[in-house]
Amino acid sequence: VQVVESGGDSVRPGGSLRLSCKISGLTTTSYCVAWIRQAPRQPREGVAGIDSDNIVTFRDSLKGRFNISQLNADNTLYLEMINLTPEDTAMYYCAAGSRVLYFMNGYYNCDYDVMGQGTQVTVSS
């Protein structure tokens, strides 16, 4: 399985971006896909996730501004982000696994097998 992210850019506060995640080699009908981000000198944090059962999960603080699509016929899914703030500046990674999301400690998690190289999002005036 391979994952390739794209769509990162530099935008001003209040701007919008759509990140793409292209997945190839996924042969199972069950899957989960997660977006994860890492800001400089910060630990990685989950942003959003979706699975083949159409379970969708978001980081609480991002609900209402971020949206994740389901895989389309080209095995690509998108992370739509609006009203971006400088705190959203980070490297954004897409990760995929061959199992559905699992629920633990109050959160849905994706037991991913592969993660892409990331795409940089910078929000600055």
Side-chain angles (χ1 to χ4, degrees):
V1 179
Q2 287 188 315
V3 174
V4 179
E5 308 94 333
S6 62
D9 204 348
S10 294
V11 297
R12 295 190 182 278
S16 303
L17 279 176
R18 186 177 78 163
L19 305 184
S20 301
C21 174
K22 171 89 172 164
I23 301 172
S24 58
L26 187 65
T27 58
T28 60
T29 54
S30 295
Y31 63 82
C32 63
V33 181
W35 283 97
I36 299 161
R37 69 184 183 183
Q38 186 168 22
R41 298 173 297 281
Q42 297 296 320
R44 285 179 181 172
E45 62 181 24
V47 173
I50 193 167
D51 70 11
S52 48
D53 288 344
N54 287 316
I55 300 295
V56 180
T57 185
F58 293 96
R59 189 172 194 82
D60 286 344
S61 60
L62 302 177
K63 288 178 182 177
R65 293 197 301 118
F66 285 27
N67 193 31
I68 187 171
S69 73
Q70 188 52 278
L71 281 177
N72 64 16
D74 291 330
N75 272 359
T76 300
L77 64 74
Y78 303 97
L79 181 70
E80 305 266 4
M81 307 183 294
I82 65 172
N83 295 329
L84 288 163
T85 73
E87 288 69 37
D88 295 316
T89 295
M91 185 71 79
Y92 284 70
Y93 300 91
C94 183
S98 56
R99 293 157 293 277
V100 296
L101 295 171
Y102 68 94
F103 193 76
M104 186 175 74
N105 295 331
Y107 298 97
Y108 280 101
N109 300 271
C110 176
D111 187 14
Y112 58 86
D113 303 306
V114 63
M115 179 182 286
Q117 295 297 308
T119 185
Q120 178 67 39
V121 172
T122 302
V123 185
S124 174
S125 55

